[in-house]
Amino acid sequence: MQQLRVQADESSAKVDELTAKVKTLQQENLAKEQEITSLTHKLSTQETDIEKLETANKDLKEQVDHVGQSSNQSEALQRRLQILEEEAEEADKNIRETNDKLRQTDVKAGHYERKVQALESARDQWEEKYEEMSKKYAKVKKDLEEFQLEIGNI
């Protein structure tokens, strides 16, 4: 009977531990989902910036083509065009990095989701075992009380 109590206590402690792990993993999962949302927003903002830069780049190229005036204006426009192209390349690089981070975060989120499912399954098994042990304990306790009554009546 003492052993059943110990097993019931151990099962209860294990259920509490697994429940805490599930909560922790759920919080981590939520944080990763928020990070995904943030990176997605950052990606869309950078794509918009790239479109603006490409439009400005196109406009400047047209201006360079149409301006046949002084070499100073042409040089200034070419420098400006070069700067815009560099900015566009940097924005492209940022988008690639953001996409990589997004993919990595998606992989991690999937991993944590699987881990949460596994822990929830283990917790459910421990809860079932705990319920079975509680029923066995109640039955043994009832049998003991009946036995004590029989002995007391003798």
Side-chain angles (χ1 to χ4, degrees):
M1 184 154 123
Q2 182 65 21
Q3 184 181 10
L4 284 176
R5 284 184 186 159
V6 169
Q7 285 181 339
D9 290 344
E10 289 175 354
S11 295
S12 177
K14 188 68 174 179
V15 166
D16 292 343
E17 178 185 330
L18 290 174
T19 301
K21 280 186 179 179
V22 166
K23 286 181 183 178
T24 302
L25 289 173
Q26 286 173 339
Q27 289 174 348
E28 290 175 2
N29 192 22
L30 178 62
K32 294 298 178 185
E33 288 175 358
Q34 289 173 346
E35 184 179 349
I36 289 171
T37 303
S38 172
L39 290 173
T40 303
H41 176 69
K42 185 176 178 181
L43 177 64
S44 67
T45 303
Q46 289 180 348
E47 286 175 345
T48 303
D49 290 345
I50 285 177
E51 290 175 8
K52 288 178 184 177
L53 290 172
E54 288 174 348
T55 302
N57 188 11
K58 181 180 176 185
D59 292 342
L60 288 175
K61 282 183 181 180
E62 290 175 3
Q63 287 177 6
V64 167
D65 290 342
H66 291 36
V67 175
Q69 299 172 353
S70 73
S71 63
N72 289 340
Q73 286 180 333
S74 177
E75 289 174 11
L77 288 175
Q78 286 177 348
R79 276 184 260 129
R80 191 168 172 198
L81 177 62
Q82 182 180 2
I83 291 170
L84 287 173
E85 286 175 346
E86 290 171 358
E87 288 176 356
E89 288 175 11
E90 183 65 28
D92 244 0
K93 178 183 172 185
N94 287 341
I95 285 177
R96 283 189 300 268
E97 289 173 358
T98 302
N99 279 336
D100 288 342
K101 287 180 183 178
L102 182 61
R103 277 191 294 274
Q104 291 172 358
T105 304
D106 280 340
V107 168
K108 287 179 183 178
H111 171 73
Y112 285 122
E113 286 175 5
R114 288 187 299 276
K115 204 169 187 180
V116 165
Q117 289 174 351
L119 285 172
E120 285 176 344
S121 175
R123 181 202 60 207
D124 292 342
Q125 290 174 352
W126 278 106
E127 284 177 351
E128 287 177 22
K129 187 174 181 178
Y130 174 75
E131 289 174 13
E132 289 175 20
M133 290 299 191
S134 293
K135 288 177 184 178
K136 285 180 181 180
Y137 173 74
K139 183 179 183 234
V140 168
K141 187 176 178 181
K142 181 181 174 187
D143 291 345
L144 178 64
E145 288 172 359
E146 289 173 1
F147 181 69
Q148 286 175 342
L149 282 174
E150 286 178 22
I151 290 177
N153 289 339
I154 292 181

